[in-house]
Structure formats: C-alpha cells, structure tokens
Amino acid sequence: RFVPQFDPADLASTAWAFAAVKYNHEPFFDVLASQAVVILDLLSVEELADIAWSFASMQHADGPLMTAIASPAGQKIHLFGAREISNLAWSLAKSLVSDMPLIDALWCQARRKVSELVPRTLANLV
C-alpha cells in the first residue's frame, strides 16, 4: 500500500531488510518489484545491486525485474565498485539471468577494480 510512495533508497533498503532477515512475503515482494521497475533509472548502483541481491537471495527472482535491471546497470557499470559488481553478478547467476552484454561488462569492471576485490566479493564472481 505504501510502496509507491517510497523513494529509491527506501525501496532498496526495504527489499534488503526483508531479505536480510529472510522474511519472504511474496505479495509484498511482488509490489516492490512492480514499483522498482518503474523507478529503475533513478536507482543508484548500490540500490540496483541491493534490489537484485534481495530478490535473488529470497529466491523471488522476478523475471521482468531482473531482466529490467540489466539496462540501467549496463549504463552505470563504470560506477560499480567491488561490492556492487559482486552482488549483481551473484544475483544474475542465482536468478538464471544470462544477459551476456551485462555479464561481460561486469567482468570488465571487475578487472578494473581488482585491487578492491576481497575474497568474499571475488568468490561471488566465480
């Protein structure tokens, strides 16, 4: 009910919080997904990665949302840090989204950010 009033940060934080405590309320995630698709272009790279991670970790890999994330993520790939690269790559793999241009772009950005990669973020890329 209140989701359409969320700003991008609130939407990403809410999805992350529900996923972090493993509270999978499918109707709520459906509403979050429909709102996220509407505001994808407004999301920061951290918010994009957090939303992707939240949906993938809850095994609520909403097809339209995960596919729609690819476009703004690809446009903002140069802004992705190690954490965002790792989380988005893991989320795409977990959700079985095989957007090869985005996956290639993530690998290229990972090579540029190799000094920032720690074992955990690196593990998500393999």
Side-chain angles (χ1 to χ4, degrees):
R1 183 177 232 171
F2 298 104
V3 174
Q5 297 172 2
F6 280 2
D7 66 20
D10 291 338
L11 189 86
S13 295
T14 300
W16 181 89
F18 271 66
V21 297
K22 301 198 183 318
Y23 186 76
N24 191 4
H25 187 267
E26 285 200 35
F28 187 66
F29 270 88
D30 290 340
V31 172
L32 286 177
S34 63
Q35 177 61 24
V37 168
V38 172
I39 63 168
L40 280 176
D41 290 333
L42 302 176
L43 298 173
S44 70
V45 296
E46 181 179 66
E47 293 159 350
L48 283 168
D50 284 351
I51 287 172
W53 177 87
S54 299
F55 278 79
S57 68
M58 294 308 300
Q59 298 174 346
H60 190 87
D62 181 270
L65 173 61
M66 296 304 282
T67 302
I69 283 175
S71 179
Q75 293 168 2
K76 298 175 182 180
I77 199 72
H78 64 283
L79 300 172
F80 275 56
R83 180 184 161 280
E84 292 83 17
I85 294 165
S86 173
N87 284 354
L88 186 56
W90 179 85
S91 301
L92 293 172
K94 179 84 171 165
S95 304
L96 303 176
V97 174
S98 59
D99 184 300
M100 290 314 294
L102 179 56
I103 292 168
D104 289 344
L106 281 168
W107 276 109
C108 288
Q109 184 67 357
R111 284 193 299 264
R112 284 191 283 277
K113 299 288 183 171
V114 72
S115 65
E116 297 174 25
L117 295 173
V118 295
R120 182 175 180 202
T121 56
L122 188 56
N124 283 342
L125 296 175
V126 249

